[in-house]
Amino acid sequence: DLIAQKVDGIALMPGDAAAAQTWVDRASKAGIPTVSMGAQVGDPKKRDGKPVYEKLTALVVPHEVNAGAAAGEFAATILPKDKTAKIAVIEGAAGFIEVINRRDGLEQGLKKAGAKYNVVAAQPGDWRQEKAEAACQNILVAHPDIDLFFTQSDEMVMGCARSVKAVGSKAKLVSMGGTKLAIDAIKAGTIDASVCYKPQDTGRLGFKALHAAMQNKGAAPKAEFINYATPAVTKNNLSACEPQW
């Protein structure tokens, strides 16, 4: 509909990276600048590690690998040092490149910190509290001695925290999002850390890039990668993350 209306620019937040590629292709063919905010575009199995789909004007997202690495480096500081730690991962939904990148980043951060660990389980939580709670329950049955859960969103960590509490597990909880929900949980000691994401900044940067492209279509940037810092946030540095959502 937007292409048919011949709009001057399109900002999108894709729910399915592969499906979004089709529409970015059509917008590009019509000469309409397109900026993706908050999620990547393109089939994750065919991206070859490239963060930005080449027909986008710009991609505005946190650097997901770096964000995962921040979580991994912090996780290494709270893992037991006298054994090989057991880690479980609660992933988002299939079809999101972020699921792959956050997991890769986590392991990069753990290895950089010299952590001794094994990822003994990984299950999808589909970004939902209830699904993550059930996934953590299942993992705790199979691995009651889990040392740390890494959940790929704050919504999911809250569900996982309920499962951990229900069985009296001592597992640590590290998440991603920097939401008010997570910051309050860190203050309360319910979870150990989250990684700070800033959706308002994403929106501002995205529309700034789109406006610039609409003003100067002939020389608009191509496949520009725009991101911001994503620190891990704990009780010791809560001021590093003012929740934006």
Side-chain angles (χ1 to χ4, degrees):
D1 288 345
L2 293 172
I3 293 168
Q5 292 171 35
K6 299 181 180 180
V7 296
D8 294 309
I10 295 174
L12 60 98
M13 296 184 69
D16 185 307
Q21 180 176 321
T22 300
W23 298 104
V24 171
D25 288 345
R26 294 187 184 188
S28 177
K29 186 175 181 180
I32 300 173
T34 306
V35 173
S36 180
M37 298 183 294
Q40 294 192 26
V41 169
D43 187 338
K45 296 178 182 177
K46 300 177 181 178
R47 296 299 301 127
D48 296 326
K50 297 176 182 176
V52 189
Y53 182 56
E54 56 270 16
K55 293 185 181 179
L56 277 174
T57 299
L59 171 69
V60 186
V61 292
H63 194 300
E64 298 289 359
V65 174
N66 288 353
E73 289 187 48
F74 171 74
T77 69
I78 57 174
L79 290 173
K81 303 296 188 290
D82 58 346
K83 66 172 186 174
T84 299
K86 294 184 178 181
I87 294 176
V89 179
I90 305 300
E91 299 177 335
F96 285 79
I97 300 174
E98 291 77 10
V99 169
I100 299 169
N101 288 347
R102 292 177 187 184
R103 170 70 178 270
D104 288 347
L106 172 75
E107 300 216 38
Q108 288 182 23
L110 287 165
K111 290 172 182 174
K112 180 180 178 182
K116 295 188 296 182
Y117 73 96
N118 282 326
V119 176
V120 298
Q123 290 190 24
D126 293 347
W127 312 118
R128 293 163 39 211
Q129 280 198 35
E130 296 78 9
K131 184 76 179 285
E133 183 175 3
C136 288
Q137 285 175 350
N138 294 337
I139 291 171
L140 284 164
V141 169
H143 304 279
D145 55 347
I146 282 287
D147 294 298
L148 183 141
F149 282 101
F150 169 64
T151 68
Q152 293 187 341
S153 78
D154 287 343
E155 188 74 13
M156 294 193 297
V157 81
M158 301 313 297
C160 196
R162 289 195 293 270
S163 294
V164 167
K165 182 178 180 180
V167 300
S169 169
K170 301 298 184 183
K172 303 294 186 180
L173 292 157
V174 176
S175 183
M176 305 186 75
T179 62
K180 186 177 187 302
L181 189 69
I183 298 301
D184 288 346
I186 292 170
K187 290 177 182 177
T190 306
I191 70 172
D192 296 279
S194 183
V195 175
C196 190
Y197 281 48
K198 299 177 180 179
Q200 291 179 18
D201 287 9
T202 298
R204 281 192 288 269
L205 292 167
F207 280 101
K208 181 179 179 181
L210 184 60
H211 181 262
M214 291 189 300
Q215 294 298 305
N216 194 9
K217 285 188 178 182
K222 297 295 183 183
E224 187 177 8
F225 189 22
I226 302 171
N227 53 66
Y228 53 81
T230 48
V233 183
T234 73
K235 268 190 174 181
N236 296 326
N237 69 333
L238 286 171
S239 63
C241 188
E242 184 68 32
Q244 293 186 347
W245 55 320

